[in-house]
Amino acid sequence: NDFWWDRGTKVVSTLRTSLIIDPPDGKIPPLTAEAQKRQADARTALRGHANDGPENRTLSERCILWATAGPPMLPSFYNNNYQIVQGPGYVMILVEMIHDVRMIPTDGRPHLPSDIRQWMGDPRGHWEGNTLVVETTNFSGKANFHGSDENLKLTERFTRTGPNTLMYEFTVNDPTAFAKPFTGQI
């Protein structure tokens, strides 16, 4: 049923065709040799065992997390709605896809210790003028983003640019997975 597919009704004023704005070629940088080996080893380990148990299936396939729902938050073919609510000491982002909720402390507390890992990472937010900046670390590596691992540091910037417009920018920095950091914008 094509009714549910979100085909997009607007284009950005610059007419760019990639979500990636840095590097300027619009491409995600290549994986490091270490990340390529990790992915190859994972595929080899699953060969013949993909249906042995739920731990061999992706988090998206198991409806635990949806890869495009975030973080980072990327458009998908449906359920692209987010609700952002600010309260004392927190910002909450409700994601329509799988109904995930991200609770982002904005009270200045430090990140969790590095040995505590979470599927969606450990976010901490602060304001820079009218921009909410969210830095997320302590990913588990199980919800990898295009090959990222537990060393991912994700920086997201939410800026209101009009009454009904929010600029979302994310920077992926994972030196053990990507040749260099990259930034996307929606």
Side-chain angles (χ1 to χ4, degrees):
N1 179 340
D2 283 348
F3 172 79
W4 300 106
W5 286 59
D6 185 357
R7 300 193 187 282
T9 57
K10 298 179 183 177
V11 295
V12 294
S13 59
T14 62
L15 302 179
R16 65 181 160 81
T17 58
S18 175
L19 297 180
I20 306 302
I21 60 168
D22 184 40
D25 66 4
K27 296 179 182 178
I28 294 175
L31 291 174
T32 63
E34 178 183 343
Q36 290 175 27
K37 182 179 182 327
R38 188 174 52 248
Q39 284 191 334
D41 290 348
R43 283 191 301 271
T44 300
L46 281 179
R47 195 168 291 132
H49 299 282
N51 298 312
D52 285 357
E55 61 280 348
N56 293 351
R57 311 311 298 171
T58 66
L59 297 179
S60 294
E61 189 175 336
R62 294 165 56 198
C63 293
I64 294 173
L65 290 177
W66 196 256
T68 58
M73 305 179 327
L74 299 175
S76 181
F77 49 93
Y78 70 105
N79 286 0
N80 287 312
N81 297 308
Y82 297 87
Q83 181 179 18
I84 301 173
V85 178
Q86 181 181 355
Y90 288 91
V91 169
M92 183 266 319
I93 302 175
L94 172 63
V95 184
E96 181 180 20
M97 180 65 80
I98 304 188
H99 302 91
D100 282 328
V101 175
R102 292 177 62 198
M103 295 297 294
I104 302 165
T106 57
D107 58 5
R109 72 180 71 177
H111 279 282
L112 294 172
S114 61
D115 62 335
I116 298 177
R117 301 293 175 154
Q118 301 180 98
W119 286 335
M120 294 189 349
D122 178 43
R124 295 294 183 262
H126 66 275
W127 291 93
E128 292 179 3
N130 68 340
T131 299
L132 172 64
V133 179
V134 178
E135 293 181 350
T136 306
T137 61
N138 297 27
F139 287 92
S140 71
K142 293 184 180 191
N144 64 42
F145 175 70
H146 289 284
S148 67
D149 59 30
E150 66 276 357
N151 296 308
L152 171 62
K153 178 182 177 188
L154 180 69
T155 304
E156 298 166 287
R157 301 177 70 80
F158 301 81
T159 306
R160 192 168 189 172
T161 58
N164 297 309
T165 307
L166 186 70
M167 172 86 68
Y168 173 66
E169 193 171 288
F170 63 92
T171 299
V172 172
N173 187 356
D174 188 342
T176 57
F178 298 102
K180 62 183 178 177
F182 60 96
T183 299
Q185 186 181 78
I186 303 169

